[in-house]
Amino acid sequence: MASLSDSVYNVLKALVELYNKENSPVKSRDIANALGIHEGYVRNMLSILKSMGLVISKAGPHGGYIPTSKATDVLSRQTFSVPIASLGNVVGYALDITLIGLLSDKPFASMRVVGDLAGYVDREVRVGPLPSGLVLIGRVIKADIESLMEISSIISIPRTSVKNIMTPNPVAAKPDDSIEPYVKLFIEKRYRGIPVVNEERKPIGLLMASKLMEALYGCRKDVKVKDLMVGEPPVIHEEEDIHEAIRIMVSGGIGRLLVVNSEDKLVGIVTRTDILRRIATLEQLV
């Protein structure tokens, strides 16, 4: 039985159930509590669902997330969803994929698509990773609800958990720290981002090199980490498959994920580079 990627499916299912029960917008923390997972991770999944047109958000104190009519359809069909990318940008999602003539000289993929591929006819796209671990590369020859792609190559991604490729025990900042000790790290180690954690070592933000350099350029040496950090950092659980890490990176256009354990504590960082070291052929995909 095919399904959405486990994490995305579970978040969507919980959202629909909570919304049907309360008949009001659902907070990300309520979904996180229902599933027993980190709220930041839930927000990552909601961002993907929102880009697919399966979820809308409502601002304000009484706001939250609301499933669209498409969400019920996707859940009822129990179909998997994978990103369709062109030049590193997600341009749609395939809800069903049927491979045709794999043993022939010209194999094809028939896809039911969320999004508009009309502008990508005769252009190369990448579809995946599929639940099987395959990534399809080829040319769109028909763009419609039922689209058709001529496959030029297929990449197989071996399965392994994020904890096997992450950088463990990363340097982490505290929100009340001065930025001064981290300047040297950014320069010498060429870090692009340092996670910010609370007293329980749970991630609450990211201190980005660009923000720190802006502060130094403006001679703002007395600022603290909390003044510059970006909140709600993207996270992933250490037991998740790297397929899920790739989906989140591609869908969100991000290059790193903070890795947490069962207690939601920071245990590592996984980056595009980590994945590329493991699977060199994925350089163009991620």
Side-chain angles (χ1 to χ4, degrees):
M1 178 179 66
S3 63
L4 289 164
S5 68
D6 289 344
S7 298
V8 176
Y9 177 86
N10 289 337
V11 169
L12 180 60
K13 186 172 182 290
L15 170 62
V16 171
E17 290 175 350
L18 290 170
Y19 180 76
N20 289 339
K21 181 180 179 181
E22 303 294 335
N23 197 28
S24 62
V26 180
K27 304 288 188 184
S28 58
R29 66 172 176 271
D30 294 331
I31 299 173
N33 290 337
L35 296 175
I37 58 178
H38 194 279
E39 185 181 357
Y41 190 49
V42 169
R43 285 193 290 263
N44 290 342
M45 301 301 101
L46 288 169
S47 177
I48 293 173
L49 291 166
K50 189 175 178 180
S51 69
M52 295 170 62
L54 300 178
V55 169
I56 59 175
S57 59
K58 182 180 178 182
H62 301 292
Y65 295 89
I66 302 172
T68 66
S69 57
K70 290 182 182 179
T72 302
D73 177 60
V74 169
L75 289 178
S76 65
R77 290 174 181 267
Q78 299 186 44
T79 165
F80 61 82
S81 165
V82 297
I84 303 170
S86 175
L87 299 177
N89 298 314
V90 175
V91 297
Y93 289 86
L95 300 182
D96 285 307
I97 300 176
T98 302
L99 302 181
I100 304 168
L102 276 181
L103 299 181
S104 67
D105 292 336
K106 288 187 177 181
F108 296 90
S110 174
M111 306 175 291
R112 187 163 64 90
V113 172
V114 173
D116 185 4
L117 296 185
Y120 297 89
V121 173
D122 288 329
R123 292 171 60 180
E124 183 180 86
V125 297
R126 291 163 175 75
V127 180
L130 281 65
S132 62
L134 298 179
V135 175
L136 311 178
I137 301 175
R139 181 174 60 93
V140 177
I141 59 176
K142 176 188 174 186
D144 207 335
I145 295 177
E146 294 289 341
S147 296
L148 193 64
M149 165 187 174
E150 183 179 4
I151 301 172
S152 58
S153 61
I154 299 176
I155 298 171
S156 178
I157 307 174
R159 288 192 174 277
T160 189
S161 61
V162 169
K163 67 180 180 183
N164 291 330
I165 65 168
M166 72 180 186
T167 300
N169 304 315
V171 173
K174 295 288 184 62
D176 289 322
D177 287 350
S178 166
I179 63 171
E180 190 171 353
Y182 301 105
V183 174
K184 187 176 181 180
L185 286 175
F186 277 115
I187 295 174
E188 293 184 353
K189 301 293 186 179
R190 296 188 178 182
Y191 290 159
R192 298 178 65 183
I194 292 177
V196 183
V197 299
N198 61 18
E199 293 299 327
E200 297 177 330
R201 200 170 170 79
K202 294 182 179 180
I204 59 173
L206 272 172
L207 177 62
M208 303 302 297
S210 56
K211 290 286 186 181
L212 188 143
M213 292 304 130
E214 286 177 10
L216 293 179
Y217 184 75
C219 298
R220 299 169 57 206
K221 294 185 179 180
D222 58 338
V223 297
K224 295 184 181 297
V225 168
K226 63 183 177 184
D227 300 320
L228 301 178
M229 74 177 193
V230 178
E232 300 183 1
V235 300
I236 189 168
H237 192 277
E238 62 181 344
E239 297 296 341
E240 285 282 2
D241 198 281
I242 62 170
H243 296 183
E244 189 63 23
I246 294 171
R247 287 190 187 97
I248 295 173
M249 288 181 181
V250 172
S251 298
I254 52 181
R256 67 181 56 76
L257 299 171
L258 305 187
V259 185
V260 297
N261 61 15
S262 59
E263 297 178 337
D264 293 335
K265 294 183 179 182
L266 179 71
V267 293
I269 294 180
V270 63
T271 67
R272 291 179 182 180
T273 303
D274 295 324
I275 294 175
L276 295 178
R277 284 191 184 125
R278 181 81 178 196
I279 315 162
T281 52
L282 288 181
E283 184 172 1
Q284 291 182 315
L285 174 67
V286 299

